[in-house]
């Protein structure tokens, strides 16, 4: 920024705390006109700011002194705030909401002070609204991507962790997190143990969160993101930076504005194919059916799509090879995948194809002409009932290709669409057998892919079986023991200010040096391992991108999810 020039109105929209000191007389007059234009039953205090880009259409608004509504916030209904309250970018406040003094609401958070009734005598969209309202006390910090539902009261001095879903009242001084949100501790409780004896999960999460800006900044070369210093810029590195910042900080990486992140990532999509090539590389030639079969462009369907999703945006164009592929063409392509000696590649192809179908359905309303349904039919008809998987082991690699391919295949299909996997008990058997293979899980041999590709299937199948991993269930003791060993091994690998390395040097992954890919993947792995032990809430974060635990959509309809 040119320090000789005042920031633009657009800058104030995203950084409204600067308005009081940096605005010109013309900008102050424009803000007064903006506030007057709100009209209606509106009273705005002194030194307040309402972003030009915010959608503020209240029935009644009382904004206390020194408060602001930032970029792209959405405010309707009745909102009352005390002094010094902040609604950060992309906040949604609807219905009847009352905030005390000194309340901070993080970006992308929703306070929904209304509901629909649910009587069975009429469709939901014809149900009348109900509203008990939301009340938030003084000195409350609500993190990013939180949802607070109607009828909830949050007491004074509370702190709500990023990504929480608050469904019940929280008493004063509560620190809460999770979905649904649960109290973790009282803010007034001062730990009596020495710092070295604090819970290692909480200590790790605090460290990672505090160092996340430094971890990301070291991988910014001044123009683009690199996986690690000295590496070439890549599209995936940019997406990994977005994922890490969202997971730990609840915001976009600070090297660019959120809008610029969206502009760069969305602008990288080829409008003709809907694919995203690597920087400086051409797109691979498509197959006869119009969809490419290899290269970074396939993974970019996942990484760029979810990075844009985290930024509140989406691909501007459909993935045309998937949109135009018929069910017959899909069956031909599936039959031609290298299931016997390349199950990982086959699973990765299905992951990319199914994720493209998800984006097409979500953003273009395209049902794919039955091809998605045909995919699931083919997978259910070809799964091995003895292993619950697809593909065959080999004498050289054992079950590595099969299990890693299973993760990729089910991540993009069954897990992403919220559908149950077949033969979950057999999957647990197969995965635990693979996890004992010293070729891949011997001392110093674990890499992020191999550990994730065991942790996620175990987590997915345990939840499907209704297993309480901390209690009784199918092979619970073995799952828990494996997760404990892995968690104990990975936490000490964090390197201050640098993050995680991917794993040992070899043909897979970027190697042992800390970088964005290793950091993004291991942060997600730590969450899955902790959740297998019933302790993920201690982390205060939950993956929302490529490695999200929840389905991205529910069912096969074009408007599901």
């Amino acid at each position: 920024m040119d320090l000789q020039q005042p920031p633009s109105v657009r800058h104030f929209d995203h950084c409204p705390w600067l308005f009081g000191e940096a605005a010109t007389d013309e900008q102050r007059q424009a803000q007064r006109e903006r506030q007057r234009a709100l009209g209606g039953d509106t009273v705005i205090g002194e030194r307040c700011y309402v972003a030009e880009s915010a959608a503020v259409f209240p029935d009644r608004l009382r904004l206390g002194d020194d408060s602001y509504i930032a970029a792209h916030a959405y405010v309707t209904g009745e909102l009352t705030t005390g002094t010094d309250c902040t609604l950060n970018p992309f906040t949604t406040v609807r219905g009847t909401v009352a905030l005390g003094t000194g309340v901070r609401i993080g970006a992308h958070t929703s306070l929904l002070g209304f509901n629909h009734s649910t009587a069975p005598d009429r469709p939901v969209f014809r149900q009348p609204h109900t509203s008990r309202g939301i009340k938030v006390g003084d000195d409350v910090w609500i993190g990013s991507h939180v949802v607070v539902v109607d009828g909830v009261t949050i007491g004074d001095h509370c702190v709500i962790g990023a990504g929480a879903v608050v469904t019940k009242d929280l008493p004063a001084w509560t620190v809460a997190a999770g979905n649904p949100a649960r109290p973790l501790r009282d803010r007034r409780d001062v730990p009596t143990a020495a710092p070295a004896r604090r819970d290692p999960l909480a200590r790790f999460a605090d460290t990672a969160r505090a160092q996340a800006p430094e971890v990301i900044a070291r991988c910014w070369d001044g123009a683009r993101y690199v996986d690690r210093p000295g590496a070439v810029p890549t599209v995936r590195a940019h997406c990994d930076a977005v994922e890490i910042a969202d997971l730990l900080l609840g915001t976009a990486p600070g090297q660019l504005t959120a809008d610029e992140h969206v502009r760069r990532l969305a602008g990288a999509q080829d409008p003709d194919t809907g694919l995203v090539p690597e920087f400086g590389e051409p797109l691979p030639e498509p197959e006869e059916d119009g969809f490419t079969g290899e290269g970074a462009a396939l993974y970019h369907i996942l990484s760029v799509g979810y990075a844009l999703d985290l930024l509140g945006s989406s691909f501007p164009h459909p993935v045309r090879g998937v949109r135009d592929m018929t069910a017959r063409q899909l069956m031909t392509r599936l039959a031609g995948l290298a299931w016997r000696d390349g199950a990982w590649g086959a699973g990765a192809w299905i992951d990319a194809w199914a994720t493209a179908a998800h984006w097409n359905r979500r953003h273009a309303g395209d049902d794919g002409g039955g091809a998605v349904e045909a995919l699931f039919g083919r997978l259910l008809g070809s799964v091995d009932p003895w292993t619950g998987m697809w593909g065959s082991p080999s004498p050289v690699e054992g079950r590595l290709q099969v299990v890693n391919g299973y993760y990729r295949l089910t991540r993009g299909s069954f897990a992403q669409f919220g559908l149950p996997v077949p033969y979950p008990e057999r999957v647990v058997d197969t995965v635990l057998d693979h996890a004992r293979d010293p070729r891949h899980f011997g001392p110093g041999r674990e890499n992020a892919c191999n550990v994730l590709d065991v942790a996620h299937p175990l987590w997915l199948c345990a939840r499907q079986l209704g297993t309480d991993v901390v209690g009784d269930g199918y092979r619970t003791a073995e799952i828990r023991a494996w997760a404990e060993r892995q968690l104990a091994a990975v936490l000490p690998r964090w390197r201050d200010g640098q993050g995680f390395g991917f794993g040992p040097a070899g043909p897979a992954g970027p190697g042992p040096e800390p970088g964005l890919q290793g950091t993004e993947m291991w942060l997600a792995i730590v969450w899955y391992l902790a959740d297998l032990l019933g302790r993920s809430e201690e982390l205060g974060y939950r993956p929302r991108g490529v490695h999200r635990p929840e389905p991205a959509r529910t069912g096969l309809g074009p408007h599901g999810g």
Side-chain angles (χ1 to χ4, degrees):
M1 183 192 305
D2 184 354
L3 298 180
Q4 302 302 313
Q5 299 294 326
S8 66
V9 170
R10 182 183 181 84
H11 187 78
F12 288 136
D13 270 18
H14 288 271
C15 305
W17 55 88
L18 300 176
F19 183 81
E21 295 183 359
T24 65
D25 290 342
E26 291 79 7
Q27 289 168 335
R28 296 180 194 281
Q29 178 60 33
Q31 176 59 203
R32 287 191 287 270
E33 293 173 0
R34 163 66 168 149
Q35 294 179 13
R36 284 196 295 270
L38 295 176
D41 188 2
T42 298
V43 177
I44 297 180
E46 299 295 326
R47 299 172 300 280
C48 289
Y49 185 85
V50 179
E52 289 287 339
S53 58
V56 183
F57 308 114
D59 299 322
R60 184 176 186 272
L61 174 63
R62 298 291 184 270
L63 197 62
D65 294 346
D66 301 297
S67 299
Y68 64 72
I69 300 174
H72 305 291
Y74 179 31
V75 179
T76 65
E78 298 186 8
L79 171 63
T80 302
T81 83
T83 61
D84 199 18
C85 289
T86 64
L87 278 63
N88 280 292
F90 297 98
T91 298
T92 295
V93 178
R94 304 190 66 194
T96 302
V97 177
L99 308 181
T101 296
V103 176
R104 296 291 182 270
I105 301 178
H108 297 275
T109 283
S110 296
L111 276 62
L112 306 176
F114 75 102
N115 208 337
H116 290 278
S117 60
T118 57
D121 61 339
R122 70 192 76 178
V124 170
F125 75 93
R126 295 190 184 279
Q127 299 281 349
H129 284 176
T130 61
S131 179
R132 293 181 292 161
I134 293 172
K135 296 180 181 178
V136 179
D138 298 336
D139 179 36
V140 172
W141 175 21
I142 302 177
S144 297
H145 296 283
V146 172
V147 176
V148 182
V149 302
D150 187 36
V152 166
T153 294
I154 298 175
D156 296 343
H157 315 296
C158 284
V159 174
I160 314 299
V165 178
V166 185
T167 60
K168 297 181 180 179
D169 293 353
L170 295 173
W173 296 101
T174 298
V175 178
N179 179 7
R182 296 181 178 88
L184 301 180
R185 62 181 177 87
D186 188 302
R187 274 184 65 194
R188 295 166 295 186
D189 291 343
V190 179
T192 57
R197 299 185 63 185
R198 289 181 58 222
D199 178 81
L201 273 179
R203 187 167 67 248
F204 162 76
D206 289 345
T207 298
R209 196 170 290 111
Q211 296 180 9
E214 182 181 359
V215 169
I216 296 171
R218 73 185 283 269
C219 296
W220 172 255
D221 70 0
R224 290 187 290 189
Y225 290 97
V226 297
D227 179 70
R228 55 205 180 280
V232 298
T234 62
V235 173
R236 177 167 184 165
H238 192 159
C239 298
D240 286 336
V242 171
E243 293 248 13
I244 294 166
D246 179 86
L247 189 68
L248 296 177
L249 305 173
T251 187
Q255 288 70 37
L256 303 168
T257 66
D259 286 348
E260 180 62 16
H261 283 291
V262 170
R263 188 191 70 78
R264 290 193 181 193
L265 291 172
Q269 188 186 30
D270 175 57
D272 294 328
T273 64
L275 299 175
V276 178
E278 187 55 271
F279 294 137
E281 297 181 7
L283 284 170
E285 289 295 325
E287 305 289 342
E288 290 184 5
D289 55 33
F291 187 59
T292 188
E294 59 184 13
L298 275 186
Y299 192 79
H300 293 164
I301 294 172
L302 281 64
S303 59
V304 178
Y306 273 102
L308 287 170
D309 189 59
L310 293 174
L311 292 164
S313 187
S314 62
F315 278 129
H317 309 287
V319 181
R320 299 181 189 275
V322 172
R323 183 196 65 181
D324 298 338
M325 187 180 292
T326 67
R328 183 181 297 274
Q329 289 174 322
L330 176 61
M331 292 301 100
T332 299
R333 181 65 80 91
L334 293 175
L337 295 176
W339 294 105
R340 180 171 296 277
D341 56 2
W344 182 89
W349 188 91
I350 289 175
D351 191 2
W353 191 95
T355 302
H358 160 60
W359 298 131
N360 287 352
R361 288 183 171 210
R362 176 175 172 182
H363 300 305
D366 183 357
D367 66 3
V372 175
E373 290 78 0
L375 170 68
F376 283 97
R378 173 67 166 76
L379 294 176
L380 290 170
S382 60
V383 64
D384 180 353
W386 292 102
T387 65
M389 298 193 175
W390 297 264
S392 304
S394 74
V396 175
E397 294 183 304
R399 296 189 185 277
L400 181 67
Q401 287 270 338
V402 177
V403 172
N404 289 12
Y406 179 87
Y407 163 69
R408 289 296 304 272
L409 183 153
T410 55
R411 192 222 71 86
S413 57
F414 293 94
Q416 187 165 232
F417 281 75
L419 299 174
V421 298
Y423 308 110
E425 294 95 341
R426 302 292 75 77
V427 173
V428 172
D429 294 340
T430 304
V431 169
L432 287 176
D433 179 66
H434 167 65
R436 290 191 293 267
D437 190 332
R439 289 172 291 185
H440 314 299
F441 295 93
R445 295 188 178 184
E446 298 96 339
N447 64 42
C449 275
N450 292 348
V451 177
L452 175 64
D453 296 356
V454 169
H456 185 272
L458 289 178
W459 184 92
L460 184 67
C461 292
R463 293 307 176 275
Q464 185 171 318
L465 291 167
T467 297
D468 179 1
V469 179
V470 299
D472 295 326
Y474 188 71
R475 302 189 70 172
T476 293
E478 294 165 88
I479 293 173
R480 182 181 177 87
W482 181 84
E484 286 178 337
R485 289 195 302 271
Q486 291 296 329
L487 198 57
V490 66
L491 294 185
R493 295 177 189 158
W494 177 272
R495 290 174 58 179
D496 285 340
Q498 302 178 69
F500 284 116
F502 175 85
E513 183 181 344
L516 295 180
Q517 180 179 341
T519 300
E520 186 276 322
M521 292 187 69
W522 282 112
L523 286 171
I525 291 166
V526 167
W527 186 91
Y528 279 103
L529 295 172
D531 207 60
L532 283 170
L533 298 170
R535 298 176 56 196
S536 61
E537 290 183 357
E538 298 171 27
L539 293 167
Y541 69 74
R542 187 181 185 91
R544 300 189 323 113
V546 172
H547 301 117
R548 58 184 292 161
E550 292 83 13
R553 59 187 304 114
T554 52
L556 300 181
H559 304 296

